[in-house]
Amino acid sequence: MADNAHAAAAEHAAEGTGLVFHPMDQFKVQPLFGHGGEVSFYTPTNAMLWLGLTVLAVFLIMVVGTRGRAIVPSRGQSIGELAYGFVHKMIEDVTGKDALVYFPYIMTLFMFILMNNFLGLIPTSFANTAQIATTAILAFAVFFAVTIIGFVKHGSHFLGLFWVTSAPLAIRPVLAVIEVISYFVRPVSHSIRLAGNITAGHAVMKVFAAFAGLVALSPLAILGITAMYGLEMLVAFIQAYVFTILTCVYLKDALHPSH
Amino acid sequence: MEGSIAEMGKFIGAGLSAFGMGLAAIGVGNVAGNFLAGALRNPSAAGGQTATLFIGIAFAEALGIFSFLVALLLMFAV
Amino acid sequence: MATESHGAEAVAAGHAAAESAGMPQLAVETFSNQIFWLVVALVATYLILSRVALPRIAAVLAERQGTITNDIAAAEELKLKAKEAEAAYEKALADARSQANQIVEATRAEIKADLDAALAKADAEIAAKAAESEKAIAEIRASAAESAAEVAKDTAKELIAVLGGDVDGRSVAAAVTSRMKG
């Protein structure tokens, strides 16, 4: 991965001198071993490496950190308990107690996205959550799961979600069309929100980094990178939170479709 | 620059779509500001509404992200 | 400025490079790879969390809750015991106090009775002595009055005899007696 980054940098350096803007190169999926070549579905790529590290991070925090099973928690254990309590309370507050059946999957989503966002902030790393393909899978999984749960739990009553009985009869069909459209836009906005936020932050940092090549501007550029990095730490958490809470909101629609 | 009209159109379009990000910023500021105004009036009810605040901010911000995406697409993909 | 021309060159170069690659997120040939590994990672995370981490944390939290509840219950019990002990102590104190009061009352009554008896006895003695004295005084007074009458009669007789009158003892006594009464 590092080799590839160096190779890419060298390649670009050959193209011109002075300011070089390649804000999007960090999102390239590349094979870990050997340059170029075809990327088939099982090829070990940088995407695979950072997904694996994400799983490892989740494992370290949630399993290794809590191995003491102490009544009075250690530092590591209290991080795990904090994450557990945070998501647990979120589901209870937003969706209701009957949604706690889905707690493991929502917890998976939260921890996975959070860890991936934070790992993506490590310089020269690869942010999977900036990839439309990755977030689209996450969002569409939620979308299909929610739709299926809605139909299984409520049958055709689930369609009442689109028929706003509290509105006057005359405008109900119009509202129904709007509701249906907004329902199907959900996974798109759900996925693009996450990927877009992460992409934007990383690209802006890369643009600032490119300005650092200019001696006169380099202090400003480094200051800009530092400020953006702080903001991106915040964004990394907030986007994981927002993705999870929107999942809870959509799940609430499926479990309690009456408005 | 080779002086292609299509090339110029891309850059102009990307620049125009950057306005959307500023508008989204207004939207996010509106949400946060109104939340703060309400929270100062009734601080005891504010704690339970943080989730709603973040959902509101996320919805407002998503549209700004869409305009950013349009800019990116114009610059790199079209 | 040299940088401007450099910048323009770089942008042009960068753009040329980007055009060949496009936006990396939209490179469809890498999607299958990303999706495959994503699904693997998600399943791994899900298994780790649902099989190991979440039950463990839930157990720890439940245990902690249980410990806290037990401790609170024990504390409540101890508090109750302390309250009971306090009530017993209060009761003992009240008993002792009332007993002391009783003793005080009894002693006071006893003393009062003694005192009353002594007083009554003294009163009776005083009354007897006073009656005795009065009787003596009355006797003395009576005897004194008699003597006075006798002395007066004798004196009157002597006086009349000295004055040369005819002493009629009976009439003189009668006259003296009437005078003394008047």
Side-chain angles (χ1 to χ4, degrees), chain A residues 34-48:
Chain A
H35 304 304
E38 206 157 293
V39 179
S40 60
F41 76 90
Y42 54 84
T43 315
T45 53
N46 48 0
M48 184 213 81

Side-chain angles (χ1 to χ4, degrees), chain C residues 28-94:
Chain C
V28 183
E29 67 273 10
T30 65
F31 278 12
S32 62
N33 180 277
Q34 288 189 49
I35 290 167
F36 172 70
W37 289 116
L38 172 70
V39 170
V40 170
L42 273 184
V43 169
T45 315
Y46 181 80
L47 289 180
I48 287 171
L49 286 178
S50 67
R51 291 290 154 87
V52 187
L54 297 184
R56 183 185 288 179
I57 293 176
V60 168
L61 290 180
E63 199 180 331
R64 182 175 307 153
Q65 197 58 47
T67 311
I68 289 171
T69 314
N70 282 348
D71 284 2
I72 287 175
E76 204 70 33
E77 208 168 293
L78 286 179
K79 204 174 159 192
L80 216 66
K81 267 186 191 164
K83 225 169 232 178
E84 266 169 29
E86 202 192 337
Y89 166 75
E90 287 284 339
K91 195 166 167 282
L93 200 67

Side-chain angles (χ1 to χ4, degrees), chain A residues 22-28 46 125-127 131 199 202-203 206:
Chain A
H22 297 293
M24 304 310 278
D25 282 1
Q26 57 183 323
F27 303 117
K28 267 185 190 155
N46 48 0
S125 76
F126 177 84
Q131 300 288 329
T199 308
H202 285 240
K206 265 285 152 67

